Amino acid sequence: MIVGSDVLSSLPKWRSFDELARLVDFLVVKRPGSTIEEIPEVRATTIDIDALDISATELRQAIADGADVDEFISPLVVGYIEEKGLYARA
């Protein structure tokens, strides 16, 4: 499972974390400005990439707010999100 390093420390709070930790290995993408904390139950490999300085949570919120996210997401993905009404406020 791929997660950002900003999410790693919250994994033990996830529902069914113990089961998930038994079932998967994690690929942790180092995010700008975050530190990586080892969690004993988690099998993880860390990679460094040119990650954008915005989290998925922030992107979803920006989409829900109607902000322009074209610099972060390809036009095809933006079109799909709009077509399906994903992340729109109810």
Side-chain angles (χ1 to χ4, degrees), residues 47-62:
I47 62 169
D48 267 318
I49 63 169
D50 291 331
L52 298 172
D53 195 11
I54 187 167
S55 70
T57 301
E58 291 169 323
L59 277 173
R60 287 189 298 271
Q61 184 63 53

Side-chain angles (χ1 to χ4, degrees), residues 8-9 12 35-42 44 46:
L8 185 63
S9 64
T35 58
I36 296 180
E37 170 184 322
E38 284 195 35
I39 301 172
E41 304 91 343
V42 173
T46 303

Side-chain angles (χ1 to χ4, degrees), residues 4-6 29-34 48-59 69-74:
S5 56
D6 55 328
V29 178
K30 184 149 177 28
R31 303 228 357 103
S34 69
D48 267 318
I49 63 169
D50 291 331
L52 298 172
D53 195 11
I54 187 167
S55 70
T57 301
E58 291 169 323
L59 277 173
V69 294
D70 290 347
E71 70 179 285
F72 302 111
I73 304 174
S74 78

